[in-house]
């Protein structure tokens, strides 16, 4: 049996970790690959699918936050909860998406 020299994670790996690039599973994967001399690949179709999933989750998170603000306005008194902004929804979505993408670059 031949030993692989390269690996690429399927989107389901990232889905399973909720796109938390700092999770133990994802943050230890790269060092293990290096240690074993494996080339880690991220084919363009997988990368695009990951980006799409992050955009979708960003939109869903913002919608859930807007719904929470609407249904329970008293929650806005809780320290640390983001206050509503006058920014358009698309700008807010881009900002949240950017946060998610930047967190992935640090792993």
């Amino acid at each position: 049996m031949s030993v692989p020299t390269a690996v690429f994670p399927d989107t389901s790996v990232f889905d399973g970790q909720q796109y938390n690039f700092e999770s133990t599973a994802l943050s230890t994967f790269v060092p293990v690959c290096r240690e074993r001399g494996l080339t880690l690949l991220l084919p363009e179709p997988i990368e695009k699918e990951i980006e799409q999933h992050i955009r979708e989750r960003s939109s869903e998170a913002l919608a859930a936050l807007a719904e929470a603000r609407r249904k329970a306005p008293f929650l806005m008194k809780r320290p640390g909860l983001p206050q509503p902004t006058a920014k358009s929804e698309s700008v807010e979505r881009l900002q949240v998406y950017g946060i998610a993408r930047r967190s992935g670059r640090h792993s």
Side-chain angles (χ1 to χ4, degrees):
M1 177 197 274
S2 64
V3 177
T5 59
V7 295
F8 70 90
D10 183 65
T11 310
S12 63
V13 172
F14 298 98
D15 282 339
Q17 296 302 309
Q18 303 299 318
Y19 293 90
N20 176 8
F21 298 103
E22 296 170 359
S23 72
T24 301
L26 292 178
S27 66
T28 58
F29 188 67
V30 172
V32 168
C33 287
R34 274 193 201 116
E35 179 183 301
R36 299 192 180 202
L38 297 170
T39 301
L40 181 59
L41 304 172
L42 188 59
E44 186 176 356
I46 301 275
E47 183 176 7
K48 287 184 182 219
E49 188 175 10
I50 289 168
E51 289 176 3
Q52 179 61 33
H53 288 193
I54 290 172
R55 274 193 295 278
E56 290 168 359
R57 287 176 186 233
S58 297
S59 287
E60 291 168 5
L62 287 170
L65 183 56
E67 182 72 2
R69 287 175 180 145
R70 187 182 70 71
K71 286 185 172 182
F74 57 86
L75 290 175
M76 297 316 300
K77 294 179 182 175
R78 185 176 191 285
L81 193 64
Q83 297 296 314
T85 65
K87 296 176 186 167
S88 73
E89 183 181 325
S90 59
V91 170
E92 207 170 15
R93 242 191 342 251
L94 284 172
Q95 289 175 333
V96 171
Y97 172 73
I99 291 167
R101 288 287 293 152
R102 282 191 300 278
S103 75
R105 288 189 197 128
H106 297 302
S107 55

